[in-house]
Amino acid sequence: MAFGPDRNTMTRSQTQVADIDTGLRSYMLGVYNYMALGVAFTGIIALLVVMSPTLMQALVFSPLKWVLFGGIFLSGFIAPRIMMSGSVTACHAVYWVYAAMWGALMAPMFMMYTGDSLVRVFFITAAAFAGLSLYGYTTKRDLSPIAAFATMAIIGVLVAIVVNMFFLQSAGFQLLISIGVVLLFAGLTAYETQMIKQMYHEGDGHEVQTRKSIFGAYMLYGSFVTLFVWLLSIFGVARD
């Protein structure tokens, strides 16, 4: 004689699934909230730097921009270790310093491009980012091969940027680099969203979940800002 599944067991399973879904939504909402605040903070820092002639001159005519670039680059190696093993306070410190460095580094772009093009490219970036992140969240396809490819591709892009900056100085080659970077970070946005989702565990305590949320925001923020910068180089309109 066959018996159907126990009703109490089914109810418990459904409740557990609902709890996981609720927890995952809360976790991902935290990630996106931190990321959005980071982007807003970056904009504020950029505007403050633009309003300071002394800081603008330092960025344009001194090695300060290279210091900021180096800090952002090194952050990619240091931040993950701190955020996954340090305190919540340390995670916040690393994240907001990272966002501030990007804001200062981007300040000259606020002077270089028209306000209309900055706003237009920002919304283009936001729309593209939303679609890519949604794909990464919903797809069942394993996107991890993108990470392996990205490691090699980023090195190649950095070499290409240096070669073009100091040797070729070709506008056409610069456009190709810009398109390549946009495509690369489009794929990374989808992969990172999938990875951040997979990092969620129902049993995580509040501190662990907060650290993971900040780390997830850090990754997505970096991809968003990079997409914005390189889309701006493609679609931005320079001031007269």
Side-chain angles (χ1 to χ4, degrees):
M1 182 175 179
F3 294 92
D6 180 71
R7 181 175 297 177
N8 291 332
T9 301
M10 291 179 63
T11 302
R12 286 195 299 270
S13 299
Q14 292 169 350
T15 302
Q16 290 171 352
V17 170
D19 289 342
I20 292 173
D21 288 344
T22 301
L24 179 59
R25 285 196 295 270
S26 176
Y27 161 72
M28 293 301 297
L29 182 61
V31 171
Y32 290 120
N33 282 342
Y34 278 123
M35 195 210 84
L37 288 172
V39 171
F41 182 62
T42 295
I44 292 171
I45 294 297
L47 288 174
L48 290 175
V49 173
V50 166
M51 290 187 293
S52 170
T54 302
L55 287 176
M56 283 298 296
Q57 288 180 0
L59 277 169
V60 175
F61 299 109
S62 79
L64 179 58
K65 59 180 175 293
W66 297 110
V67 173
L68 291 171
F69 180 81
I72 290 170
F73 182 77
L74 290 175
S75 175
F77 299 95
I78 299 171
R81 296 184 181 183
I82 295 176
M83 290 184 170
M84 297 308 294
S85 61
S87 65
V88 171
T89 301
C91 291
H92 275 290
V94 170
Y95 180 61
W96 298 112
V97 169
Y98 180 66
M101 288 192 295
W102 263 115
L105 191 62
M106 291 170 59
M109 296 180 184
F110 282 51
M111 299 293 292
M112 185 184 306
Y113 296 100
T114 65
D116 288 344
S117 64
L118 286 167
V119 172
R120 181 174 64 253
V121 173
F122 177 83
F123 281 109
I124 291 173
T125 305
F129 177 88
L132 292 163
S133 191
L134 179 63
Y135 172 75
Y137 185 83
T138 58
T139 186
K140 302 299 181 182
R141 180 182 178 183
D142 181 15
L143 301 179
S144 57
I146 294 177
F149 170 77
T151 302
M152 298 181 292
I154 288 173
I155 295 173
V157 166
L158 289 174
V159 172
I161 291 172
V162 171
V163 169
N164 193 52
M165 183 182 298
F166 294 104
F167 300 102
L168 299 179
Q169 298 181 354
S170 167
F173 190 50
Q174 180 64 30
L175 177 61
L176 289 176
I177 292 173
S178 300
I179 294 172
V181 172
V182 168
L183 293 176
L184 173 61
F185 278 87
L188 277 175
T189 297
Y191 160 72
E192 288 167 350
T193 303
Q194 185 180 75
M195 187 183 74
I196 293 165
K197 178 183 177 182
Q198 292 171 348
M199 285 168 54
Y200 172 78
H201 297 291
E202 185 186 6
D204 285 342
H206 177 71
E207 180 175 342
V208 173
Q209 185 167 315
T210 301
R211 285 196 284 110
K212 287 184 177 181
S213 292
I214 298 173
F215 179 58
Y218 169 87
M219 289 192 295
L220 291 179
Y221 165 90
S223 293
F224 181 93
V225 173
T226 302
L227 283 170
F228 173 73
V229 168
W230 290 92
L231 283 171
L232 191 60
S233 72
I234 299 173
F235 299 112
V237 177
R239 295 181 186 272
D240 295 332

